[in-house]
Amino acid sequence: MTAAAESPAIALDVMGGDRAPEATIDGAIGWTKSTGQRAILVGDVDVMRALLSSGGEDPSAWRLESGPTTIGMNEHPVQAVRSTRDASIRRCAELVRSREAQALVSMGNTGATMAAGVLVVGRAAGVDRPGLAVLIPGRDSPTLLIDVGANAEARPEHLRDFGLMGEVYLRQVLGTPNPRAGVLSIGEEATKGSPLTLAAAELLAASPLEFVGNIEPGGLFNSSADVVVCDGFTGNLVLKSFEATAEFAVGELRAAVRRRPYTLPGVVFMYPAFRAVRRRTDYAQYGGTPLLGVNGVVIIGHGRSNAMAVENALNAAARAVESRVVERVSDGLALIDR
């Protein structure tokens, strides 16, 4: 396949992220070198030209779109997207809406990116509520948890739809054969859960999905299911709890070594194992999380993303476009009786 003829058009929010614009430009250059494809770069044009030149690239070979303003973390996402017309993330979303791009990638404000996806790009056909999905590293394979923040409240049919959208993403983009679906709950028994999870379980069991029942939070790590659904409030709490626990454990380990210097030789011998675990759980390996159910591919990266994470996010966006995820989500939801 020739990149020039068939490569997907991806709008990259150059200004979004803690390490932007340097990391986003470096990631875009790395993606070009590895794939032969070029993203549409959206941001401060003068800054982008300078960074491309310093990276050994000819700026005239790239499509550069002006979007110099960044939406800050302290701004209201919906209001900022509506009012800040020169924001880089809004310009990316407008390119997708106009079909000049098929996907957008941003490492910036998650709320603003979700708002741009829903308000500017718009919902895909048949979708009532888009869902934000994240890959949780598992013992045998990662688990896709959805929703982790797009919807603080949800109805049972939304959770069922999240399962269908997540199944499509796993099968089409990650190549997971016959993904199994579960619902996040407080116990594995079918009688346990809230009215929301109990009703959602009934709908999932009646859907075309391979439904395996309730999944406790610990089950996200042992590959009990491939896609696990919940409302966005619960999912966001679970995700942030996991991140905080991991940071606490690593910090305590470092502090323990400092208090007991005689353990340092053992740590040195264990370093290859620690490095392997870190590599498996590093967010940069996955690049970003998809906002499923909007009328275009939207990949949201971690705010601390480095160049490798940006490159992997662009790869994820390209695979989603090539797999026609948006169309397949709508096709899957069309089969459900409502």
Side-chain angles (χ1 to χ4, degrees), residues 192-257:
K192 288 188 175 180
S194 66
L196 172 64
T197 59
L198 292 172
E202 291 185 9
L203 293 178
L204 285 162
S207 76
L209 296 171
E210 182 181 343
F211 181 59
V212 295
N214 288 351
I215 303 295
E216 295 183 9
L220 295 170
F221 297 103
N222 62 21
S223 305
S224 298
D226 299 298
V227 55
V228 176
V229 302
C230 60
D231 63 89
F233 183 84
T234 300
N236 196 264
L237 283 177
V238 167
L239 182 62
K240 289 180 176 177
S241 296
F242 287 166
E243 291 177 342
T245 300
E247 290 178 2
F248 174 77
V250 170
E252 285 297 292
L253 179 60
R254 288 173 176 165
V257 171

Side-chain angles (χ1 to χ4, degrees), residues 256-269:
V257 171
R258 286 196 297 268
R259 289 193 298 267
R260 301 172 179 83
Y262 56 83
T263 65
L264 187 58
V267 174
V268 172
F269 284 114

Side-chain angles (χ1 to χ4, degrees), residues 14-35:
V14 171
M15 311 308 290
D18 299 343
R19 302 180 183 182
E22 291 81 7
T24 42
I25 289 291
D26 288 345
I29 292 173
W31 189 60
T32 294
K33 290 180 178 178
S34 63
T35 67

Side-chain angles (χ1 to χ4, degrees), residues 76-96:
H76 189 283
V78 173
Q79 292 177 359
V81 166
R82 284 175 170 163
S83 62
T84 314
R85 295 189 174 274
D86 64 346
S88 54
I89 184 56
R90 178 178 171 123
R91 288 291 298 122
C92 286
E94 288 173 345
L95 289 170
V96 176

Side-chain angles (χ1 to χ4, degrees), residues 14-15 21 25 41-53 59 62-69 88 91:
V14 171
M15 311 308 290
I25 289 291
L41 305 182
V42 183
D44 186 310
V45 173
D46 291 336
V47 169
M48 293 189 295
R49 284 192 182 122
L51 289 172
L52 287 170
S53 295
W62 296 70
R63 178 175 173 182
L64 308 180
E65 292 288 335
S66 179
T69 303
S88 54
R91 288 291 298 122

